[in-house]
Amino acid sequence: MNRGLFITIEGTDGSGKTTQIRNMMEHMSSLGCKVLLTREPGGTRISESIRSIILDPAYTEMHNVTELLLYSAARAQLVEQVIKPTVAKGQTVICDRYTDSFFAYQGYGRGLDMDMLEKITTTAIDGMMPDITFFFDLDPEIGLKRRMTAAAGDRIENEVMEFHRRVYDGYKELAAKYSDRIKTIDASKPVDEVWKDVRHQLEMVLGFIRQV
Ligand code: TYD
């Protein structure tokens, strides 16, 4: 049996990933592909528990190293329990965020050592690299504005923006470095046009797989 595809979705907050993931799921299902959608951090009982610790706004004291180990622990569990077996069964896995988020947020965003991140990632994913990654490229200022409420935009919001800008610049570097795997999608276009671009890229990959 052929192994399934492993697709990951990346981008800064507010880049419109969710809508496009929904479109991808519907499109691939309509083509008769079995697709499983999962997310990071999360996707298993253990990883979802870890997610709630990582994202809990009450834990303001969390150390950067604690954060990176928690993301890696959640990832290791998801790879073993969900991604590997599903792909081995010949099904497609779409994962909302994966290792590129790790390098963009913990590496470029937090400024943690890239070699250390690489080593931990090698252990956590045990060879499960995505076949293709969609990076939804949107300036974080626009992404955050999309989400902004009247109460936003204070000092903390500005700090967050600086962080998001480092993450965004990191994503751009990753996309340039791994241009064979990472397909950059201009997410500033209207939603329908973004979907046209995603569908085009997706069909190229699906067509290629069918020929192999
Ligand atoms: P989530 O609410 O899922 O974000 P979004 O809806 O924008 O995808 O929260 C996940 C957050 O975790 C998001 O801000 C990105 C961050 N993250 C990391 O910092 N490192 C990682 O390795 C992963 C997978 C996510």
Side-chain angles (χ1 to χ4, degrees):
M1 190 193 297
N2 288 339
R3 75 186 271 289
L5 264 185
F6 178 30
I7 302 172
T8 60
I9 312 296
E10 296 284 357
T12 46
D13 298 66
S15 56
K17 288 185 289 120
T18 313
T19 310
Q20 299 303 332
I21 290 172
R22 203 182 318 120
N23 288 342
M24 288 171 76
M25 292 292 294
E26 279 171 15
H27 185 63
M28 290 188 73
S29 302
S30 77
L31 295 175
C33 300
K34 281 207 165 167
V35 195
L36 181 123
L37 174 63
T38 189
R39 68 171 180 181
E40 271 232 89
T44 71
R45 214 154 60 109
I46 294 170
S47 311
E48 288 290 333
S49 294
I50 297 172
R51 176 190 176 91
S52 62
I53 295 172
I54 297 175
L55 298 181
D56 190 335
Y59 293 146
T60 50
E61 73 276 31
M62 190 179 291
H63 181 38
N64 283 346
V65 176
T66 308
E67 182 189 272
L68 95 89
L69 292 171
L70 286 174
Y71 275 114
S72 300
R75 181 164 304 127
Q77 188 65 32
L78 180 69
V79 167
E80 274 313 300
Q81 201 182 326
V82 175
I83 299 175
K84 265 195 206 169
T86 307
V87 165
K89 271 193 289 190
Q91 296 181 9
T92 294
V93 172
I94 297 181
C95 192
D96 184 355
R97 298 192 178 279
Y98 194 58
T99 50
D100 296 302
S101 282
F102 193 53
F103 291 106
Y105 283 80
Q106 278 63 54
Y108 293 95
R110 297 271 187 244
L112 294 169
D113 181 69
M114 287 290 185
D115 289 340
M116 189 246 305
L117 297 190
E118 288 272 4
K119 280 188 193 132
I120 290 170
T121 299
T122 302
T123 304
I125 70 171
D126 194 25
M128 281 309 294
M129 276 304 285
D131 299 297
I132 181 168
T133 298
F134 290 94
F135 163 49
F136 289 93
D137 180 351
L138 185 69
D139 189 291
E141 208 130 356
I142 300 170
L144 273 185
K145 266 197 196 123
R146 277 184 184 174
R147 287 192 175 177
M148 258 192 195
T149 63
D154 57 19
R155 188 178 58 84
I156 305 297
E157 197 71 45
N158 290 340
E159 277 183 23
V160 167
M161 176 50 73
E162 280 165 25
F163 175 76
H164 277 280
R165 183 147 301 281
R166 285 199 299 278
V167 170
Y168 176 66
D169 291 343
Y171 266 130
K172 302 277 268 190
E173 271 191 42
L174 292 169
K177 192 168 169 191
Y178 303 108
S179 57
D180 282 353
R181 172 176 60 85
I182 302 179
K183 307 297 169 199
T184 299
I185 302 290
D186 180 354
S188 67
K189 292 183 183 175
V191 178
D192 286 1
E193 284 181 41
V194 175
W195 168 234
K196 246 194 223 162
D197 293 346
V198 173
R199 199 169 92 172
H200 174 71
Q201 292 287 350
L202 195 59
E203 282 174 356
M204 297 233 296
V205 184
L206 294 174
F208 176 75
I209 297 287
R210 278 191 211 109
Q211 281 165 25
V212 178

